[in-house]
Amino acid sequence: MAALLLCARLPTNTITTPTSSRSTPSPSFLSFPSTATPAARRRCRAPLLASSAAAPPAPAPAAQPFRALPPSETTVLVTGATGYIGRYVVRELLRRGHRVLAVARARSGIRGRNSPEDVVADLAPAQVVFSDVTDPAVLLADLSAHGPVHAAVCCLASRGGGVQDSWRVDYRATLHTLQAARGLGASHFVLLSAICVQKPLLEFQRAKLRFEEELAAEAARDPAFTYSIVRPTAFFKSLGGQVDIVKNGQPYVMFGDGKLCACKPISEEDLAAFIADCIYDEDKINQVLPIGGPGKALTPLEQGEMLFRLVGREPKFIKVPIQIMDGVIWVLDGLAKLFPGLEDAAEFGKIGRYYASESMLLLDPDTGEYSDEKTPSYGKDTLEQFFERVIREGMAGQELGEQTIF
């Protein structure tokens, strides 16, 4: 899946959360306050998980039944609403007639380039609430005037997969979404996860898995509450980084022989439709749902050959030994022990190495191998159609931004 050599970089944001990957939170659950006063917004940030010495938690409000209701009478909370997939989820839910409560930051988009006015216009007619998903008290206070909600969709993801940022966003902020959703009466929760968590070697994968465990545990505790965990394969945009390179006559870069890994990429529209299906489809209740796009799995070699055919050029490849990345990671890991500020640079190297060698397909538990045949397909958009569009129109709207790793 990785198309270019990794360019290690330091994180652009300073993370102040003290918890590190070496000391992750225990999976005891949290209480769900039914209301939040303005004073809560002025208090110090409350601990995420309830202390064993704390007073008994207040009962959550009754879950809002909704599957017998038409979409026009249901409200769906969406966090990560301005992200790459979140924007399409909001639009798909609106298209189906749901009322949507979309949570956004005051400055969103790549490097905060979108103003609040831009966000409101982009997500209209959704109700947009600007808040901080990293602060549970603030989030619930900002949302409390807009409840109740019937279901929630969490599309949050750490920007680059850095160690502390992974736990801050992929675990804690996602857990805050569940807190707020349950506090507002949501009876169903849809999580956008990732298929790669089935083989967790990276910090963001461990953070996502920790939340998945707690989500399933909450459903086990409350029979009126259900969930759907969606684990997509590769996104189209993550495979489009070399379109202009090939179009301009330069070689396609791949690791090894280009057959180390494969994926069944899915478009943002098709993935958003699948996520929206999870709101009502009872066969998706309390399920982990790996999902890919239509057609067979494609290796980087096949993706490169497709690109050259579409631009009408003879294939030219640069084959980079995967051992080069191993050497870079070894050096960065060693330096990170002396200079903790390089911890994320080492993690970025591991992320690049992972995507260069691990398939984004279902891992067959019987064989221990990735399986194209057992990876479910959904939708109608193909990678070839995406490449054709990017060749004509460029990557506008498909930028990876701070998530660029390879």
Side-chain angles (χ1 to χ4, degrees):
M1 180 177 176
L4 302 175
L5 278 171
L6 170 74
C7 180
R9 57 178 173 79
L10 292 176
T12 55
N13 296 324
T14 301
I15 306 301
T16 59
T17 306
T19 303
S20 74
S21 63
R22 311 301 177 251
S23 179
T24 57
S26 60
S28 58
F29 211 70
L30 47 104
S31 61
F32 299 109
S34 58
T35 59
T37 64
R41 303 180 59 161
R42 297 190 295 270
R43 289 198 296 265
C44 295
R45 295 186 178 183
L48 177 62
L49 300 175
S51 166
S52 58
Q64 303 295 313
F66 68 92
R67 290 190 177 91
L69 300 174
S72 60
E73 296 180 21
T74 65
T75 300
V76 181
L77 171 70
V78 180
T79 55
T82 58
Y84 175 58
I85 299 301
R87 293 167 60 242
Y88 288 92
V89 169
V90 169
R91 292 169 187 170
E92 181 63 21
L93 291 171
L94 290 170
R95 188 189 68 79
R96 297 186 184 199
H98 293 282
R99 299 190 297 257
V100 177
L101 184 60
V103 178
R105 292 171 295 151
R107 302 295 304 190
S108 65
I110 299 173
R111 288 176 287 278
R113 67 186 180 188
N114 298 329
S115 68
E117 293 77 17
D118 295 331
V119 172
V120 169
D122 185 47
L123 300 181
Q127 174 70 52
V128 178
V129 175
F130 294 98
S131 190
D132 181 3
V133 293
T134 67
D135 189 320
V138 167
L139 179 63
L140 187 56
D142 289 337
L143 290 173
S144 59
H146 302 281
V149 302
H150 298 84
V153 178
C154 181
C155 296
L156 295 171
S158 56
R159 289 180 171 271
V163 173
Q164 302 230 12
D165 201 38
S166 292
W167 288 98
R168 186 177 70 97
V169 177
D170 294 296
Y171 176 69
R172 291 187 186 82
T174 305
L175 199 51
H176 299 161
T177 299
L178 178 58
Q179 263 188 300
R182 293 288 275 147
L184 295 172
S187 60
H188 188 66
F189 191 96
V190 184
L191 172 68
L192 175 59
S193 187
I195 203 168
C196 61
V197 301
Q198 62 192 333
K199 189 174 181 180
L201 302 178
L202 305 169
E203 216 59 44
F204 81 88
Q205 297 165 337
R206 299 183 185 103
K208 286 181 181 293
L209 276 177
R210 177 62 61 85
F211 176 77
E212 287 189 12
E213 293 169 2
E214 298 203 17
L215 181 61
E218 175 63 7
R221 275 187 288 267
D222 182 359
F225 175 73
T226 58
Y227 67 88
S228 302
I229 295 173
V230 180
R231 292 180 176 176
T233 64
F235 301 152
F236 279 2
K237 74 169 183 177
S238 66
L239 304 178
Q242 296 197 74
V243 174
D244 284 342
I245 291 173
V246 170
K247 185 178 177 181
N248 294 332
Q250 300 175 49
Y252 185 94
V253 181
M254 59 189 182
F255 289 96
D257 61 0
K259 301 177 183 178
L260 295 175
C261 58
C263 63
K264 293 178 73 169
I266 186 168
S267 73
E268 56 271 22
E269 290 95 343
D270 284 342
L271 179 55
F274 184 84
I275 289 172
D277 288 346
C278 294
I279 302 294
Y280 276 113
D281 288 3
E282 295 197 5
D283 63 344
K284 295 179 174 61
I285 289 175
N286 295 345
Q287 297 291 321
V288 174
L289 303 163
I291 194 68
K296 76 178 202 67
L298 299 169
T299 65
L301 176 62
E302 291 170 319
Q303 296 166 33
E305 290 172 339
M306 179 189 295
L307 267 178
F308 283 111
R309 174 171 54 79
L310 291 174
V311 300
R313 296 182 183 276
E314 286 295 316
K316 295 187 296 183
F317 295 98
I318 293 178
K319 300 179 180 180
V320 180
I322 194 70
Q323 291 79 8
I324 289 179
M325 294 193 75
D326 293 335
V328 171
I329 293 168
W330 183 82
V331 171
L332 289 172
D333 263 342
L335 290 174
K337 293 175 182 177
L338 300 174
F339 307 100
L342 292 176
E343 181 181 48
D344 278 354
E347 187 71 8
F348 297 147
K350 295 171 187 175
I351 293 172
R353 174 63 165 82
Y354 190 100
Y355 286 128
S357 58
E358 300 289 341
S359 292
M360 298 297 106
L361 299 171
L362 186 68
L363 192 61
D364 188 334
D366 296 328
T367 65
E369 302 291 334
Y370 292 108
S371 173
D372 180 358
E373 294 75 18
K374 292 188 177 182
T375 304
S377 296
Y378 181 91
K380 61 185 186 327
D381 299 335
T382 67
L383 182 64
E384 183 168 357
Q385 292 169 333
F386 171 74
F387 281 163
E388 288 174 337
R389 186 170 72 248
V390 174
I391 289 169
R392 291 193 312 269
E393 304 170 7
M395 285 284 287
Q398 298 284 339
E399 302 91 346
L400 284 169
E402 292 176 45
Q403 292 179 325
T404 302
I405 295 173
F406 47 82

